[in-house]
Amino acid sequence: SLSPSSESPSSEVSSLRPSKSVTPSGPQPSETFTPEQLEAANTVIEFFHILDGVLSDSDAETHALANITTGQTQTIQLKRVSEYREQGRVQTGTVGVHITGASEVRKEGDMEVITVQTCTDTTNYDVVESKTGKSVIKPGGRSIYLTWNIDVVKTGEGWKIGDSTNEDALRCPA
């Protein structure tokens, strides 16, 4: 069996999701996913959807975001939400999420972890000042496409988003 790779989480997590089950584009990994890999992939989609919701509505409750995250991802994302709100910023549009793969289940201590490979597309996404509607993202000031390795951890309360890393990509799979 493969030894677990321990990647140090580095960059900030972005988010989004459609409200239905995973329908990856391109090759259909869902046809070959185990039930656990599908659960982990659906958790990633749900996470991004929840994040879209709380970042686009400054009155939205954050408990769903807290419940679907753990560890430093939870800390980073809740801090991000409160910073948006303090600065009077809201997200417009949504992040496109493409599931591109998933690792086998591995044990980390007494927890099961699956790393889900994801590509996010922020073509239809912006962050604006809620009073003026003006974008706060400088042109060229962000990557449109990011590829992610997102650790999804099985807990007593279900699957949660753990640590993740991302890097710029030229595009997401069609």
Side-chain angles (χ1 to χ4, degrees):
S1 73
L2 300 170
S3 62
S5 64
S6 54
E7 295 183 334
S8 63
S10 59
S11 28
E12 178 188 80
V13 173
S14 306
S15 292
L16 114 192
R17 144 217 131 184
S19 60
K20 51 187 183 295
S21 294
V22 138
T23 47
S25 48
Q28 296 290 318
S30 60
E31 292 167 12
T32 58
F33 276 16
T34 65
E36 285 175 314
Q37 287 172 320
L38 265 179
E39 286 179 36
N42 278 321
T43 302
V44 168
I45 289 172
E46 180 75 7
F47 163 70
F48 279 112
H49 173 77
I50 289 170
L51 196 56
D52 279 348
V54 296
L55 291 176
S56 60
D57 176 359
S58 53
D59 297 321
E61 290 286 340
T62 57
H63 61 264
L65 180 59
N67 289 343
I68 201 169
T69 53
T70 186
Q72 75 167 13
T73 293
Q74 184 183 72
T75 306
I76 289 168
Q77 293 303 336
L78 291 173
K79 181 171 181 237
R80 183 176 172 204
V81 171
S82 57
E83 285 173 353
Y84 270 51
R85 292 175 179 184
E86 286 163 15
Q87 295 163 359
R89 296 177 171 188
V90 291
Q91 171 181 321
T92 61
T94 56
V95 176
V97 180
H98 304 267
I99 304 296
T100 56
S103 71
E104 296 299 314
V105 177
R106 66 181 186 274
K107 286 280 195 191
E108 287 190 4
D110 57 355
M111 293 187 300
E112 292 182 347
V113 180
I114 292 177
T115 301
V116 176
Q117 287 81 46
T118 308
C119 183
T120 54
D121 173 356
T122 58
T123 306
N124 299 314
Y125 157 101
D126 200 357
V127 178
V128 301
E129 292 177 12
S130 46
K131 287 192 177 75
T132 65
K134 286 175 63 173
S135 178
V136 297
I137 300 175
K138 294 175 181 62
R142 63 166 170 168
S143 300
I144 299 294
Y145 305 105
L146 293 173
T147 55
W148 297 81
N149 283 308
I150 300 173
D151 286 348
V152 187
V153 182
K154 191 172 190 177
T155 70
E157 302 158 1
W159 293 92
K160 294 182 182 273
I161 302 295
D163 294 341
S164 65
T165 57
N166 66 39
E167 57 187 25
D168 294 355
L170 293 174
R171 63 184 183 282
C172 289

